[in-house]
Amino acid sequence: MKKLADFIVERRIWIFIAVMVVTAVCAVLIPKVGINTDMTKYLADDSPMKIGMDLMEAEFPEAEEDYTIRVMFRGLTEEQKTAMQERLAGIPYVTKVDYKPDDEAYNKDDYVRYVLHTDYDYESDEEQSIEAKLTSDFAENEMKFTDDSGDHPNIPTWVLIGVVIILTVILIIMCNSWVEPFLFLFTIGVAVVINLGSNIIMGSITETTFSVTAMLQLVLSMDYSIILANRYRQELAKNEDRKAAMKSAVTGAFSSISSSSITTVVGLLALVFMSFKIGVDMGVVLAKGVFLSVVCVFLILPGLLLLFSGLLEKTKKPAPKIPTGGLAAFCNRFRLPLAILFVALFVTAFFLKERTTISYAMISEDAVAEVFPKEETVVLLYDNRDDAKMTELASRMEEWYGVKSAVNYSNTLAKQHTAAEMVDAIDELSDSMDGANRDIVPTEAMFKLLYYKYRGGEPGTVTLSEFMQFLMQDVMTDETFAPYLGDVDVASFAPLMSTRDPNMLNAPMTVQQMAGMFAYATDAFDEKKVELMYLYRAANLPTTETGTMSIEQLMNYLNDTLIYDEAFRTMLDDPMVADIKRSTADLNDGIKQLKGSGHSRMLLTLTLPAEGPETDIFYDAVNEQCSDNIGKFYLIGSSAMNYEMSRSFDRELLTITLLTAVAIFLVVLITFRSPVVPVVLVLLVQCGVYITITVIGFQGYSINYLALLIVQCILMGSMIDYGILFSNYYREARKQGDTAEALRKAYAGSIHTILTSGLIIVIVTAIFGQCFGEPTVEQICRTLSIGAASAILLILFILPGVLACFDRLTAGRNRHRKDS
């Protein structure tokens, strides 16, 4: 290490230049690092939802993503509501606007909701332009809008500036020079830039990782700079040669900094073992950041301290002197009660933590959802062979609490409808069959005609008397068919009806015979129109059974056959034919969204919260019903992912806790070469984790699963350093004095470092989380702040008593023989 220290000090200028070049390159690379917003990409490979998503992507490559923005107004009149829908539809990149005047899902009290659809992804320039247009042109009537993309953390500049200011103030108060804090900040700031830029090797990182990396790297690494600066100050007191003092400081501080950083890195890398791969993302990035901070502290801080050594001397100031003599005496006197208190705290916190709910979904404030509860679409993917059973299950699901609709191919596009039912089915179809230039109102009579023709129905024969009565009473009064008689004048039929020949009036006639007779009365009523009227009459006779059809059958029949039938062609103009072709194409696209070659999709629209007891009840019921009735199935959706994670998290947490504890125990064991102190320290910090969970529960909050795992790893990896520091001072002092003296010296030697680094973590994370305003980041920061405070209090007030109580096991073999 001495040769390396010599190289660092002697080549400090070139090293500084090289590090600055790397920093500049990484600064350029930061914007090029992908920020991933899709948490499903981090699902474990054996996750049912992940397997289902891969299957769905393979079989439904053309499945369309629906991007929506919910907009709410207050105080609109009925006329304004319709006008507002048209205004919103006119916004560039908006494809359609959902609004139903008589639906409570869109109208509630004095509020009205619209759902804007776009083909462009959230955060795209086009989607952002829609939101900008809403803000600039629709600010009236208390307008509020929310997109359905979830949370997109974006650190405001003022928050970063505020964090740096707070960090600087703490350092200025605790350091021995007015200039030191700025050197520390510069050093760790360089490491932060290099870390963020070097994330390019990972391709992309999560939003959450990107949001908290810089802040956590700053607060977790700052004590490395403090340790090196303090060691340099101590060496300078022994040797006036600054370069020689710095070489000794680098050599001497290497052991302390490396051992401290190793525990932190090991703790963070425990996140890699999460089955949810965001652990790999966050663990690697944070561990890399701590490592780079150590590298920068050794490579550039020595040069900075030497460069500004004169200024450091001129700006010396006394660091706060924290009296700890009384505390040391108290811990020595009451060491047995403190040890008992530690056991009681551990056991109590272990059981009380169970009262705190673990959450898997963090929901931002949503003003629209407060009035109109948000809906979620969940996909249930299943084998095509189970289609009949799933259709039956869908009808039962729609009766369940929180299920608005359950849609699959068989119960919508392939469902058989009578002519009367088809009227409602077509009305509900999003792509209507209305023509471009005519206002066609689908009627039961019209669908009976189509059904009759589809099944090969024949025109038959009709008497003139029956036909004329049918024309005047049924056709001419039918708003759908009357216009297609063209310019036929009913008065022109009078000569036919005035005949006194009963044979002419009552003799059954074919289409050709009837058309020939009408040819004498009018040229507008040709054979094709007569044939259409014959079919219309036959289809609507009380004795005629027209059967059923599906929407798919109906549209394909219209598109493939009827638009080429000369009789029916008289009803259809060119725009209407084009509309039928478009609607059929859209219908076939819709089929591709629901039915694949081997699997089908059921779309469940839920009004349930993202997580909670009622949501768990729903998914329990779905799993039970599907497991009992069909083969393999997969649930895909945000709440489905939360449910899946909740069912495996206890095992996940136990695995991470044990891995972290064992890894840290081994690292500390190497340091102390005794198993007792590592056990005490690991249990102490774990107690801090349990206390943190309990405190959050008593505050009325739930604890986010990610925040819990991160805090578990960070506290075990970083906060344990304070315990190591105190224990080291205690064991060293114990070689020359009794327990009372050892505690006094341990406090004196460690309190400044513990409070400086600890206050940085506690205060900065608390303020950053509150100011950031994003739920997941806020939870992580708040939990870390409470956890760090808990660990520090345990180390300062409980650990000394435990060390003294079990002195024979904790002080080491070379402890002073005189017992207090």
Side-chain angles (χ1 to χ4, degrees):
M1 186 59 209
K2 188 177 183 305
K3 290 183 179 180
L4 182 59
D6 291 343
F7 177 82
I8 290 172
V9 174
E10 295 296 336
R11 299 287 187 269
R12 60 189 181 277
I13 296 177
W14 292 107
I15 290 174
F16 182 81
I17 293 173
V19 172
M20 290 303 101
V21 171
V22 172
T23 304
V25 172
C26 287
V28 173
L29 291 176
I30 291 175
K32 302 182 183 301
V33 178
I35 306 299
N36 182 41
T37 63
D38 184 3
M39 298 300 284
T40 61
K41 294 184 182 297
Y42 298 99
L43 288 167
D45 292 335
D46 60 351
S47 159
M49 180 167 162
K50 172 68 172 175
I51 296 171
M53 290 178 65
D54 291 342
L55 277 173
M56 190 168 71
E57 186 176 347
E59 289 206 33
F60 299 90
E62 299 178 8
E64 298 177 356
E65 194 75 36
D66 189 26
Y67 305 107
T68 59
I69 302 172
R70 291 169 289 122
V71 184
M72 182 176 72
F73 293 89
R74 184 179 185 183
L76 296 182
T77 65
E78 293 303 320
E79 295 76 12
Q80 288 175 323
K81 290 177 182 179
T82 304
M84 186 62 71
Q85 182 180 12
E86 296 175 358
R87 283 184 61 193
L88 291 170
I91 298 176
Y93 308 118
V94 171
T95 55
K96 69 173 181 176
V97 178
D98 292 341
Y99 171 68
K100 295 181 180 179
D102 301 324
D103 194 333
E104 289 185 359
Y106 296 90
N107 302 272
K108 188 173 182 181
D109 299 328
D110 200 27
Y111 295 93
V112 58
R113 179 186 72 132
Y114 303 91
V115 180
L116 279 59
H117 295 260
T118 179
D119 293 332
Y120 298 95
D121 197 356
Y122 302 114
E123 301 298 305
S124 65
D125 292 340
E126 292 83 359
E127 192 269 345
Q128 290 294 298
S129 75
I130 295 174
E131 295 192 5
K133 192 73 171 176
L134 288 170
T135 302
S136 62
D137 295 0
F138 295 83
E140 71 272 22
N141 298 92
E142 301 182 30
M143 187 275 295
K144 301 181 185 297
F145 67 87
T146 308
D147 67 45
D148 294 321
S149 60
D151 301 314
H152 297 281
N154 186 22
I155 307 176
T157 304
W158 69 269
V159 172
L160 286 176
I161 294 174
V163 167
V164 172
I165 290 175
I166 294 166
L167 190 56
T168 305
V169 169
I170 295 173
L171 288 172
I172 287 175
I173 293 172
M174 302 301 291
C175 287
N176 293 87
S177 166
W178 297 100
V179 174
E180 269 185 2
F182 300 100
L183 302 183
F184 298 164
L185 286 169
F186 179 81
T187 301
I188 304 302
V190 166
V192 168
V193 173
I194 295 175
N195 187 38
L196 292 176
S198 62
N199 287 332
I200 193 75
I201 62 177
M202 300 180 69
S204 65
I205 60 175
T206 69
E207 288 177 313
T208 303
T209 300
F210 179 75
S211 300
V212 301
T213 292
M215 184 272 298
L216 289 181
Q217 187 177 346
L218 276 172
V219 300
L220 294 178
S221 306
M222 194 57 67
D223 55 339
Y224 307 147
S225 298
I226 297 171
I227 291 172
L228 181 60
N230 286 340
R231 191 60 184 252
Y232 172 61
R233 196 177 298 107
Q234 294 168 5
E235 295 296 333
L236 199 58
K238 303 175 187 176
N239 189 343
E240 293 184 358
D241 185 337
R242 291 173 178 169
K243 289 172 60 176
M246 181 56 72
K247 292 176 183 179
S248 298
V250 171
T251 303
F254 180 80
S255 176
S256 299
I257 294 176
S258 60
S259 62
S260 177
S261 62
I262 286 173
T263 58
T264 305
V265 169
V266 168
L268 292 169
L269 287 178
L271 289 169
V272 172
F273 294 94
M274 286 177 60
S275 59
F276 194 42
K277 294 178 184 177
I278 191 175
V280 176
D281 182 87
M282 187 165 283
V284 169
V285 171
L286 290 176
K288 175 164 63 71
V290 171
F291 172 76
L292 288 171
S293 294
V294 173
V295 171
C296 288
V297 165
F298 280 118
L299 290 184
I300 65 174
L301 185 58
L304 292 174
L305 291 173
L306 289 174
L307 179 63
F308 294 99
S309 57
L311 188 59
L312 290 171
E313 286 292 326
K314 293 178 182 179
T315 58
K316 273 186 178 181
K317 72 175 187 65
K321 298 295 181 182
I322 303 166
T324 56
L327 185 57
F330 173 85
C331 291
N332 183 59
R333 182 178 179 182
F334 296 100
R335 54 184 179 269
L336 180 58
L338 286 173
I340 295 173
L341 176 62
F342 168 57
V343 175
L345 277 174
F346 190 96
V347 174
T348 303
F350 177 80
F351 287 104
L352 287 179
K353 70 180 175 63
E354 299 300 324
R355 299 179 56 179
T356 303
T357 304
I358 297 174
S359 63
Y360 304 89
M362 298 306 298
I363 309 300
S364 296
E365 291 185 8
D366 188 340
V368 179
E370 290 177 4
V371 180
F372 299 96
K374 187 177 177 182
E375 298 174 356
E376 180 194 4
T377 299
V378 173
V379 176
L380 200 165
L381 189 71
Y382 59 91
D383 194 289
N384 283 341
R385 290 171 295 186
D386 295 319
D387 193 63
K389 292 180 180 178
M390 283 306 304
T391 301
E392 180 183 339
L393 181 58
S395 64
R396 298 203 302 266
M397 281 185 179
E398 290 185 322
E399 302 298 321
W400 293 0
Y401 172 78
V403 179
K404 185 176 181 181
S405 64
V407 174
N408 70 346
Y409 167 71
S410 293
N411 73 358
T412 52
L413 302 179
K415 183 178 180 180
Q416 293 293 311
H417 300 280
T418 65
E421 292 168 345
M422 186 62 78
V423 176
D424 295 330
I426 292 296
D427 283 342
E428 293 174 3
L429 197 63
S430 58
D431 292 317
S432 78
M433 298 172 59
D434 294 351
N437 298 323
R438 297 181 186 269
D439 185 18
I440 299 180
V441 180
T443 63
E444 181 181 356
M446 183 178 75
F447 285 126
K448 282 185 175 182
L449 167 61
L450 297 176
Y451 283 29
Y452 185 72
K453 180 66 175 175
Y454 176 73
R455 282 172 170 72
E458 295 294 334
T461 59
V462 182
T463 68
L464 178 60
S465 176
E466 291 171 333
F467 188 64
M468 292 301 297
Q469 183 180 8
F470 170 69
L471 284 179
M472 290 184 285
Q473 292 183 1
D474 294 296
V475 177
M476 298 305 294
T477 59
D478 189 309
E479 59 182 328
T480 300
F481 281 90
Y484 296 97
L485 291 179
D487 298 327
V488 175
D489 183 4
V490 179
S492 65
F493 300 152
L496 295 175
M497 297 300 296
S498 64
T499 179
R500 296 181 179 180
D501 185 352
N503 293 326
M504 180 179 289
L505 290 174
N506 299 314
M509 295 184 186
T510 64
V511 170
Q512 292 76 16
Q513 290 172 331
M514 187 69 72
M517 180 169 289
F518 271 82
Y520 291 104
T522 176
D523 295 333
F525 209 49
D526 59 19
E527 182 177 328
K528 293 303 178 184
K529 285 188 178 180
V530 172
E531 180 184 355
L532 184 62
M533 295 304 103
Y534 264 51
L535 289 169
Y536 180 61
R537 177 182 179 279
N540 284 276
L541 289 173
T543 57
T544 302
E545 274 292 337
T546 54
T548 61
M549 289 182 75
S550 69
I551 295 176
E552 179 185 10
Q553 290 171 324
L554 175 65
M555 293 303 298
N556 286 332
Y557 180 58
L558 284 171
N559 185 69
D560 299 339
T561 304
L562 281 192
I563 60 175
Y564 303 107
D565 188 291
E566 292 186 17
F568 280 83
R569 195 65 172 85
T570 61
M571 293 182 62
L572 307 173
D573 56 20
D574 290 339
M576 291 170 62
V577 171
D579 191 59
I580 288 174
K581 288 182 175 292
R582 177 189 60 78
S583 297
T584 305
D586 290 344
L587 176 79
N588 291 328
D589 287 341
I591 293 172
K592 293 178 183 178
Q593 305 288 320
L594 296 175
K595 188 172 184 177
S597 58
H599 292 81
S600 291
R601 303 199 314 163
M602 178 180 288
L603 306 181
L604 298 167
T605 302
L606 308 180
T607 57
L608 296 167
E611 61 182 356
E614 58 267 53
T615 307
D616 289 343
I617 290 172
F618 165 76
Y619 281 109
D620 287 341
V622 171
N623 279 285
E624 180 182 354
Q625 290 290 323
C626 291
S627 298
D628 291 344
N629 292 284
I630 65 173
K632 282 281 187 180
F633 65 94
Y634 308 93
L635 288 161
I636 302 165
S638 296
S639 60
M641 181 173 69
N642 298 334
Y643 175 82
E644 182 180 305
M645 292 174 61
S646 70
R647 291 303 179 265
S648 61
F649 182 73
D650 287 343
R651 183 177 66 254
E652 186 104 314
L653 178 60
L654 179 61
T655 301
I656 297 298
T657 300
L658 291 176
L659 281 173
T660 308
V662 170
I664 298 301
F665 171 82
L666 293 175
V667 172
V668 180
L669 179 63
I670 294 172
T671 302
F672 289 100
R673 302 183 184 279
S674 166
V676 180
V677 175
V679 168
V680 170
L681 294 181
V682 168
L683 290 177
L684 193 80
V685 175
Q686 190 60 48
C687 181
V689 175
Y690 292 154
I691 290 174
T692 302
I693 300 172
T694 302
V695 169
I696 289 176
F698 277 117
Q699 289 179 332
Y701 296 109
S702 60
I703 184 168
N704 178 258
Y705 79 99
L706 190 57
L708 176 54
L709 289 173
I710 290 174
V711 169
Q712 168 74 45
C713 296
I714 287 180
L715 290 191
M716 194 62 74
S718 181
M719 293 296 103
I720 205 168
D721 290 343
Y722 303 154
I724 294 173
L725 180 65
F726 188 94
S727 300
N728 264 329
Y729 273 111
Y730 176 78
R731 285 161 63 93
E732 287 296 319
R734 189 69 177 87
K735 293 176 182 179
Q736 278 112 39
D738 57 19
T739 56
E741 180 66 14
L743 288 178
R744 187 186 64 79
K745 290 184 177 180
Y747 269 115
S750 64
I751 190 70
H752 184 270
T753 301
I754 292 175
L755 285 183
T756 302
S757 180
L759 284 174
I760 288 173
I761 295 178
V762 172
I763 296 175
V764 171
T765 53
I767 294 176
F768 182 83
Q770 289 298 321
C771 294
F772 192 82
E774 194 278 322
T776 304
V777 174
E778 179 185 340
Q779 267 271 21
I780 292 172
C781 292
R782 181 174 66 226
T783 307
L784 183 56
S785 179
I786 296 172
S790 302
I792 291 169
L793 291 174
L794 287 172
I795 289 167
L796 291 180
F797 294 98
I798 299 296
L799 178 61
V802 175
L803 292 176
C805 183
F806 298 99
D807 179 72
R808 291 182 180 277
L809 299 175
T810 60
R813 294 180 180 179
N814 297 321
R815 69 182 185 278
H816 187 56
R817 293 300 175 186
K818 177 185 176 184
D819 294 330
S820 58

